[in-house]
């Protein structure tokens, strides 16, 4: 199924770019944000679709012919079945109902500027705008809770810890900031966190440790409580690192970069010294 999630930003085009997507805590839907300045809430739905018996028979015939792999002689029985399937009007074929997973647009929040990233923080929704601010709204009412100011260039990535106490934001200004969820206060600033703009940030589950990656080709490991830079992983070389993800148990990390590689980093018991 193809859905035009965001409307055109310029006349004559059918849709605009989707810049961010965030799943909901209950896995019942997701939120998108786009270049048109809108934030849209979507829910998963199961729709009933009509499926004709003819379509199922055609599918079986294709599988059968594929198994024979060029056996043209087929026998009288196969020929009789084909002739029988083609008798009658296609519109008269009986139909049956099937369930198909789809999405339904529920609500829209229009922002004052282009939206670059979105992240769900429990009952809150953090939206990064082109004007360098982060607007935090209540997911239920879509009313503004507070705004986060401090980055000098637009925010490109966000994350939240497991206990919903900290929001991490990475920016094109090379800095990483930690914000308190309750009042939106800036708890800590890592500047510069990288030698180029950040592209992704994520917390290690059940901890305040976090990983970042950037266009400088580096993956870095941080302690959000002490502010220490713990480790650097230069596996992608000079190429940009675009995204990363940590396993639920924190046992391994996956990164992907401009060098067209996906790298898996495993946690070991070997001691290391903070850099």
């Amino acid at each position: 199924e193809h859905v035009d999630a965001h409307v055109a930003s310029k006349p004559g085009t059918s849709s605009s770019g989707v810049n961010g997507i965030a799943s909901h805590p209950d896995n019942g839907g997701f939120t998108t944000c786009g270049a048109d300045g809108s934030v849209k809430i979507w829910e998963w739905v199961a729709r009933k679709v009509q499926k004709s018996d003819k379509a199922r028979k055609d599918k079986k015939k294709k599988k059968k012919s594929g198994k024979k792999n060029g056996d043209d002689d087929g026998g009288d029985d196969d020929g009789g079945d084909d002739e029988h399937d083609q008798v009658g009007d296609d519109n008269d074929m009986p139909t049956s109902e099937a369930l198909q997973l789809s999405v339904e647009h529920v609500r829209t929040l229009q922002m004052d500027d282009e939206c670059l990233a979105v992240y769900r923080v429990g009952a809150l929704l953090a939206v990064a705008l082109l004007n360098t601010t982060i607007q935090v709204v209540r997911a239920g009412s879509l009313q503004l809770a507070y705004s986060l100011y401090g980055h000098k260039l637009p925010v490109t990535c966000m994350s939240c810890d497991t206990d919903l106490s900290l929001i991490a934001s990475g920016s094109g200004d090379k800095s990483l900031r930690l914000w308190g969820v309750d009042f939106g206060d800036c708890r800590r600033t890592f500047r510069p966190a990288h030698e180029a703009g950040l592209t992704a940030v994520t917390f290690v589950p059940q901890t305040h440790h976090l990983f970042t990656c950037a266009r400088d080709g580096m993956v870095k490991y941080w302690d959000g409580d002490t502010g220490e830079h713990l480790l650097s992983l230069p596996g992608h070389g000079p190429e940009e690192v675009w995204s990363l993800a940590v396993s639920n148990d924190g046992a391994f990390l996956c990164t992907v970069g401009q060098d067209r590689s996906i790298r898996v980093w495993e946690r070991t018991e070997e001691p290391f010294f903070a850099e």
Side-chain angles (χ1 to χ4, degrees):
E1 182 178 4
H2 178 271
V3 178
D4 283 331
H6 292 266
V7 299
S9 57
K10 295 181 180 179
T13 57
S14 60
S15 62
S16 66
V18 178
N19 291 339
I21 184 169
S23 61
H24 295 171
D26 60 357
N27 295 322
F30 56 92
T31 300
T32 60
C33 68
D36 58 356
S38 67
V39 178
K40 295 190 176 183
I41 313 295
W42 306 81
E43 290 182 354
W44 297 111
V45 294
R47 302 185 188 278
K48 291 183 177 180
V49 296
Q50 299 294 328
K51 188 175 182 180
S52 67
D53 286 346
K54 181 179 183 300
R56 293 199 302 273
K57 288 181 179 179
D58 290 343
K59 188 175 181 180
K60 289 181 180 178
K61 286 164 58 179
K62 289 181 180 179
K63 288 183 178 179
K64 192 174 182 181
S65 61
K67 289 180 180 179
K68 290 187 177 181
N69 194 19
D71 185 4
D72 296 334
D73 293 333
D76 295 336
D77 293 340
D78 293 337
D81 290 342
D82 294 341
E83 183 179 356
H84 176 73
D85 289 340
Q86 296 173 358
V87 175
D89 188 356
D90 291 347
N91 296 328
D92 295 334
M93 298 297 294
T95 60
S96 60
E97 290 185 345
L99 291 179
Q100 175 179 303
L101 183 64
S102 182
V103 293
E104 182 178 5
H105 175 219
V106 180
R107 285 175 298 168
T108 298
L109 173 64
Q110 188 64 40
M111 308 300 288
D112 296 332
D113 207 341
E114 179 178 347
C115 304
L116 300 182
V118 62
Y119 200 87
R120 186 68 181 263
V121 186
L124 300 174
L125 195 62
V127 184
L129 302 182
L130 186 62
N131 62 12
T132 75
T133 67
I134 301 174
Q135 304 296 315
V136 181
V137 301
R138 296 178 177 87
S141 62
L142 295 183
Q143 294 180 345
L144 180 66
Y146 50 81
S147 299
L148 304 179
Y149 300 90
H151 286 290
K152 296 182 179 180
L153 290 176
V155 171
T156 54
C157 53
M158 294 181 290
S159 184
C160 181
D161 63 338
T162 309
D163 56 10
L164 303 179
S165 63
L166 293 175
I167 297 175
S169 62
S171 168
D173 62 8
K174 309 177 186 178
S175 71
L176 169 69
R177 288 177 178 262
L178 298 182
W179 314 82
V181 172
D182 292 335
F183 303 104
D185 54 314
C186 184
R187 300 284 183 86
R188 195 173 296 278
T189 300
F190 305 83
R191 186 174 49 211
H194 286 263
E195 297 301 320
L198 277 70
T199 54
V201 57
T202 187
F203 279 91
V204 178
Q206 310 302 328
T207 73
H208 286 170
H209 291 181
L210 60 161
F211 285 96
T212 59
C213 62
R215 299 186 184 277
D216 60 0
M218 298 294 294
V219 177
K220 295 188 177 183
Y221 186 37
W222 308 87
D223 187 331
D225 291 327
T226 65
E228 285 186 287
H229 174 212
L230 301 177
L231 194 64
S232 294
L233 305 173
H236 288 272
E239 303 292 342
E240 298 178 2
V241 186
W242 288 338
S243 187
L244 51 78
V246 181
S247 63
N248 291 333
D249 59 359
F252 63 90
L253 166 76
C254 292
T255 60
V256 60
Q258 190 179 14
D259 59 356
R260 302 180 182 179
S261 70
I262 299 176
R263 296 179 180 268
V264 180
W265 311 80
E266 292 185 353
R267 183 180 61 189
T268 66
E269 300 300 329
E270 297 179 7
F272 66 90
F273 297 97
E275 298 182 2

